[in-house]
């Protein structure tokens, strides 16, 4: 496994790398969710590149950029054990020079769901992802369905900008009790961690209601919100949304399937999760 901090050295190494190349962009503090992406990338590519970069431009002014969990040694050991080919760990200054003035805005999609609560988040995400795609020139890139809106935004960007890269999305990896793995789960206190499993339970409740024939989005959303408020102390819901999966447009009535998305504060920690509601 080769580790690069320098863009030019990585580019030089990639010139001789066997294709197809699979890219897995991460912010580090790696967990089984990230590993699922890397394993998928290994399956379908000759060369796998993992990037670790806590991207400052996707964090709002009052968000957790400074205290975002980091453990590079742990990450490197894990990546070694997976036989990752290249790891790219750039410095902030090499990706954002003082006169960085170019941004990627994926309009419309970036205003929905997370967009209401994190206004410049997706501008930061799309910009860094395009930069990483340009640097690593992959054939495939891998993203988690855990961040469903991010997947749609990246797909839209790749289509709109005519990039010749396949975007692959990987199912959410969960803890034994259903909580979606997230680097931010370490923020939870013991009690919060216990009750956080109710987020997934609320998604399953929605699926059960849909299977029973309830297709009115308002009714399902109300049941989900009530479940969270009742079962998670100190919770504050940012949104419970039922939308079409790719356009992220709100649905009143669910036909065959829909994306149910949740953002909820559990104490001081903001968590997101989602499920595709579908007829089994
Ligand atoms: P992050 O390091 O949180 O920016 O995540 C890097 C990539 O891993 C993103 O594409 C995420 O969607 C994906 N990811 C994060 N958590 C999970 C999970 N629990 N299951 C699957 N993929 C995940």
């Amino acid at each position: 496994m080769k580790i690069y901090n320098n863009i030019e050295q990585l580019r030089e190494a990639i010139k001789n790398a066997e294709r197809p190349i699979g890219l897995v962009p991460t912010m580090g503090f790696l967990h089984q969710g990230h590993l699922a992406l890397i394993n998928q990338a290994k399956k379908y590519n000759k060369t796998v590149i993992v990037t670790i970069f806590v991207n400052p431009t996707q964090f709002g002014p009052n968000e957790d950029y400074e205290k975002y969990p980091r453990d590079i040694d742990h990450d490197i050991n894990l990546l070694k054990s997976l036989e990752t080919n290249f790891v790219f760990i750039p410095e902030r200054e090499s990706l954002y020079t003082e006169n960085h003035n170019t941004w990627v805005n994926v309009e419309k999609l970036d205003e929905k769901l997370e967009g209401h609560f994190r206004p410049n988040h997706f501008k930061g995400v799309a910009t860094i992802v395009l930069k990483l795609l340009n640097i690593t020139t992959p054939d495939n890139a891998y993203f988690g369905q855990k961040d469903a809106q991010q997947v749609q935004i990246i797909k839209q960007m790749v289509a709109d900008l005519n990039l010749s890269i396949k975007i692959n999305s990987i199912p959410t990896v969960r803890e034994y009790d259903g909580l979606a793995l997230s680097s931010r789960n370490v923020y939870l206190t013991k009690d919060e961690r216990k009750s956080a499993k109710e987020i997934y339970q609320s998604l399953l409740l929605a699926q059960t209601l849909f299977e029973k024939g309830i297709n009115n989005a308002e009714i399902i959303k109300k049941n989900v919100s009530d479940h969270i408020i009742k079962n998670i102390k100190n919770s504050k819901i940012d949104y419970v949304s039922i939308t079409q999966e790719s356009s992220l447009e709100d649905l009143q009535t669910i036909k065959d399937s829909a994306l149910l998305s949740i953002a909820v504060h559990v104490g001081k920690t903001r968590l997101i999760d989602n499920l595709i509601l579908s007829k089994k």
Side-chain angles (χ1 to χ4, degrees):
M1 185 177 88
K2 289 252 168 68
I3 302 172
Y4 295 90
N5 309 112
N6 178 286
I7 296 174
E8 292 317 317
Q9 285 172 4
L10 176 67
R11 279 194 206 272
E12 210 43 51
I14 288 171
K15 275 187 196 160
N16 301 316
E18 268 194 280
R19 288 193 175 267
I21 294 176
L23 172 70
V24 181
T26 81
M27 297 207 296
F29 209 67
L30 303 178
H31 52 63
Q32 293 295 325
H34 298 112
L35 300 203
L37 269 62
I38 296 166
N39 281 328
Q40 192 72 0
K42 279 181 65 177
K43 215 163 154 182
Y44 294 101
N45 298 276
K46 286 261 164 58
T47 302
V48 172
I49 307 176
V50 175
T51 65
I52 299 178
F53 182 62
V54 184
N55 175 36
T57 64
Q58 70 189 68
F59 288 79
N62 299 316
E63 294 182 359
D64 56 344
Y65 173 68
E66 294 297 340
K67 74 164 193 166
Y68 192 84
R70 294 160 168 91
D71 189 346
I72 280 291
D73 293 340
H74 164 264
D75 290 350
I76 288 175
N77 283 331
L78 209 64
L79 293 172
K80 264 188 198 153
S81 73
L82 290 181
E83 296 172 12
T84 307
N85 303 95
F86 298 150
V87 184
F88 180 45
I89 312 175
E91 297 292 335
R92 176 180 176 153
E93 294 72 28
S94 62
L95 284 175
Y96 294 108
T97 57
E98 258 172 42
N99 54 5
H100 182 99
N101 276 320
T102 304
W103 301 99
V104 182
N105 285 304
V106 180
E107 292 175 4
K108 294 206 171 107
L109 284 179
D110 69 355
E111 291 165 10
K112 315 233 179 251
L113 305 174
E114 288 292 283
H116 292 290
F117 298 89
R118 308 185 71 189
N120 285 313
H121 172 65
F122 288 114
K123 171 180 168 185
V125 168
T127 302
I128 192 65
V129 171
L130 182 61
K131 283 160 78 68
L132 293 172
L133 294 175
N134 282 335
I135 292 167
T136 61
T137 66
D139 302 280
N140 291 294
Y142 296 82
F143 296 87
Q145 182 62 23
K146 156 89 172 24
D147 299 283
Q149 184 173 12
Q150 173 169 280
V151 171
Q152 294 310 327
I153 285 181
I154 302 299
K155 282 186 173 169
Q156 177 90 40
M157 175 183 81
V158 162
D160 289 349
L161 299 181
N162 307 98
L163 305 184
S164 171
I165 298 167
K166 180 157 185 261
I167 301 302
N168 303 272
S169 85
I170 305 300
T172 302
V173 179
R174 298 179 180 281
E175 297 272 14
Y176 66 96
D177 62 356
L179 177 66
L181 289 178
S182 162
S183 304
R184 291 188 166 100
N185 291 351
V186 293
Y187 297 152
L188 297 168
T189 66
K190 222 168 159 199
D191 285 348
E192 288 168 355
R193 169 62 192 82
K194 245 187 193 165
S195 62
K197 70 170 189 295
E198 298 298 339
I199 298 172
Y200 185 53
Q201 289 304 317
S202 77
L203 297 177
L204 294 180
L205 168 67
Q207 172 63 26
T208 304
L209 294 173
F210 182 52
E211 278 173 28
K212 281 187 177 155
I214 298 173
N215 60 3
N216 180 308
E218 284 311 317
I219 294 176
I220 295 180
K221 286 192 284 188
K222 172 91 172 61
N223 275 274
V224 169
S225 302
D226 287 350
H227 182 94
I228 287 177
I229 291 163
K230 189 170 148 220
N231 291 288
I232 309 182
K233 250 206 277 171
N234 294 327
S235 59
K236 186 172 97 38
I237 294 172
D238 273 353
Y239 58 83
V240 173
S241 292
I242 294 182
T243 63
Q244 203 273 334
E245 190 187 351
S246 52
S247 70
L248 305 180
E249 294 287 351
D250 277 318
L251 292 174
Q252 305 303 321
T253 310
I254 311 168
K255 286 198 185 108
D256 300 323
S257 73
L259 174 68
L260 168 60
S261 312
I262 294 185
V264 57
H265 297 260
V266 179
K268 288 186 179 143
T269 307
R270 185 174 186 276
L271 300 174
I272 59 170
D273 203 346
N274 66 78
L275 191 73
I276 303 284
L277 301 177
S278 63
K279 289 263 159 69
K280 288 273 152 82

